[in-house]
Amino acid sequence: MTYQSEFSASVTDPDRFWLKQSALVDWYEAPTTGVATDDLGIERWFPDGTLNTCFNAVDRHVASGRGDQVAIYYDSPVTNSKASISYRELLSRVAVFAGALAARGVGKGDRVVIYMPMVPEAAVAMLACARIGAIHSVVFGGFAANELAVRLEDATPKVVVTATCGVEVARVIPYLPIVNEAIDSVENKPSTVIVMERPQAGFDPVAGRDITWEAAVAAAEPADCVPVLATDPLYILYTSGTTGKPKGVVRDNGGHAVALTYSMNAVYDVDPGDVYWAASDIGWVVGHSYIVYAPLFAGCSTIMYEGKPVKTPDAGAFWRLIEEYRVKVLFAAPTAFRAVRKEDPEGQLFNDYDTTSLEALYLAGERLDPPTYHWLDTLTQLPIVDHWWQTETGWAIATNPRGLETLPPKPGSATVPTPGFKVEILDPEGRAMAAGEQGAVVIKRPLPPGCLPTVWGHHERFEQSYLNAYPGYYLSGDGGYLDEDGYLFIMGRTDDVINVAGHRLSTGTLEEVVAAHPAVAECAVIGAADDLKGQVPVGLVVLKDGVAMDLASLERELIADVRSQVGAVASFQRAFLLERLPKTRSGKILRATLRKIIDGEPYSVPSTIEDPAVLEEVAAVIT
Ligand code: COA
Ligand code: AMP
């Protein structure tokens, strides 16, 4: 099967194409309909099918004879520990933890927030929710209390699952102070907090609310899989949007299972029994899809790596894992390899390990810059696949579809649209743009299975953010172009989302923190280009009249505020003091122009600007 015929089949008759692919998963009631429009006018996949996601990820592999195969390798250089968990053992752990959740009143449709480091218990908790039809919402362990609170407020979980701490390279991060502060600040409080104890930190249980993981499972009976509708939600994952308030991306059960299982072969060219490693974190969509669900749906062995690409202990960490676990495919963020390259520019550590098991490297989370592409290409002599996707889609919108056909790569391009995603480039009036012309990257509806059907609790935000701009299309928020050969080039966000070391953040959230500083009258936070992290946020600040504060003190206080209210991952380190911000006559801050000035790129003076002289003032301060 070549790529072109598969792609055509997927977009000319999506219903038929995906009904055929639905046979990749096990159903209680197999669907007879592919896609149907619901009462809200949204296309939903497999509306009459029933299944269980956990069954497809775990039970069915034990039933088919993979019980002794490793499901999860846990490798933690920061705690000096390793473990291998077979599918059989995973099944038993998940069933018992599902029983523990059920014993605390969690049932179908109830929410469970998981705030955990990269330990197998995090995956166990996710799968246990899926087993009983509960909806998990994993919150990245690097987020501060305020970010956790916003998510608790929106998801209103019955139970929170956490650990006593996360372990970073140079420090232990106690989680309970963060969890307690977040819970204290929300109205609807979870009734139970299940705490996995780690030797690096203890905790003082809150009476009547907290129970240790150990105690919860000791008292529990294993729970069986509960059939759910394909369209029932599996999880909510909050992601940054244009405003300061994150959007709860909803993932359903059936479309997700079909799409991810399909992707393991079509996109990644892996088979049951292969070792597949996504070096991400379960708090991000890459972790949900390609650390936990997809490799397990496909009967692969996955790796949970609690470490970094560098400093744990050195820039050979990724190569060491490839040798040790015989990894066939590695998926990581470009920033991780920029960090490796910075510490080991000649790639000498690569030669210290036997990496012959590795067949391809996949990169996503941000654009794969051509220098990093060429460095990896020369070093590994393997296919280096830049593939583009988003939390909203849950899987790659564009890729080199190696399982179908390996296309010649073009550095800087995410190759071609994945089967199911009819990608087009539109101008602001909704007209199709010619090959090579840059515009808004959109996807013709219906989106394929696996993509979000709504925003949790705020369907109007889903329509406003993604569907209203171009009727009949999903708006990705990225700009880019298709070249004459149909290759897609993603050139960056057209909104206020920034990507810091592969972490998606909203400048709106950061602006809320900076603007709340008592000395600040007005501010803009802009993503400036950064050699290592891709982008880092920079604050442009106008002080209140009469306030005399030196830049160094202000910067220090803003850094502390961002760390405590958003998290250290935001990497906010720089601010500039301005007399005024450049704005349009209607009062909008000219962010795109500011970004160009900060990055030292040529800029033109927008015709809508209120006072062109401001741009010169700004340029004089920040360049
Ligand atoms: N819990 C708590 N804190 C965390 C955290 C977590 N899960 N993850 C990161 N942090 C903290 C770090 O400790 C660091 O704190 P510090 O400023 O006190 O040192 C801060 O957040 C920034 O961390 P990080 O983004 O990891 O930057 P770094 O400079 O320590 O390391 C890289 C740089 C490139 C090695 C690192 O960013 C990296 O591995 N990036 C890849 C990320 C990735 O895989 N993203 C998923 C996309 S698919
Ligand atoms: P997230 O939702 O965290 O996965 O971030 C999604 C955003 O990251 C996209 O909208 C893009 O802006 C960016 N992104 C992800 N993968 C790529 C890629 N391969 N090339 C360019 N940008 C990417």
Side-chain angles (χ1 to χ4, degrees), residues 141-142 168 171 173 279-280 286 308-309 335 501-503 533 563 568-569:
E168 282 292 292
R171 64 202 165 106
I173 298 168
S280 180
V286 175
K308 302 269 175 182
T335 188
H503 308 320
K533 298 195 174 188
R563 286 177 74 92
V569 278

Side-chain angles (χ1 to χ4, degrees), residues 117 140-143 166 168-169 171 173 175 279-281 284 286 307-310 331-333 335-336 339 364-365 500-503 532-533 563 567-571 573:
F140 175 58
F143 277 134
E168 282 292 292
V169 181
R171 64 202 165 106
I173 298 168
Y175 276 8
S280 180
D281 187 287
W284 306 115
V286 175
K308 302 269 175 182
V310 291
F331 176 171
T335 188
V500 181
H503 308 320
L532 175 65
K533 298 195 174 188
R563 286 177 74 92
V569 278
S571 293
Q573 271 148 18

Side-chain angles (χ1 to χ4, degrees), residues 153-231:
E153 194 75 87
D154 198 69
T156 58
K158 266 193 181 163
V159 170
V160 170
V161 184
T162 189
T164 49
C165 63
V167 183
E168 282 292 292
V169 181
R171 64 202 165 106
V172 169
I173 298 168
Y175 276 8
L176 269 301
I178 299 170
V179 170
N180 291 339
E181 188 186 331
I183 292 178
D184 284 349
S185 72
V186 299
E187 206 170 308
N188 294 302
K189 300 186 193 303
S191 51
T192 305
V193 177
I194 301 179
V195 185
M196 177 209 165
E197 287 185 289
R198 305 191 81 187
Q200 295 79 9
F203 80 116
D204 289 326
V206 172
R209 189 197 74 178
D210 295 357
I211 178 168
T212 64
W213 179 288
E214 213 178 7
V217 298
E221 288 297 318
D224 217 340
C225 291
V226 172
V228 297
L229 277 173
T231 50

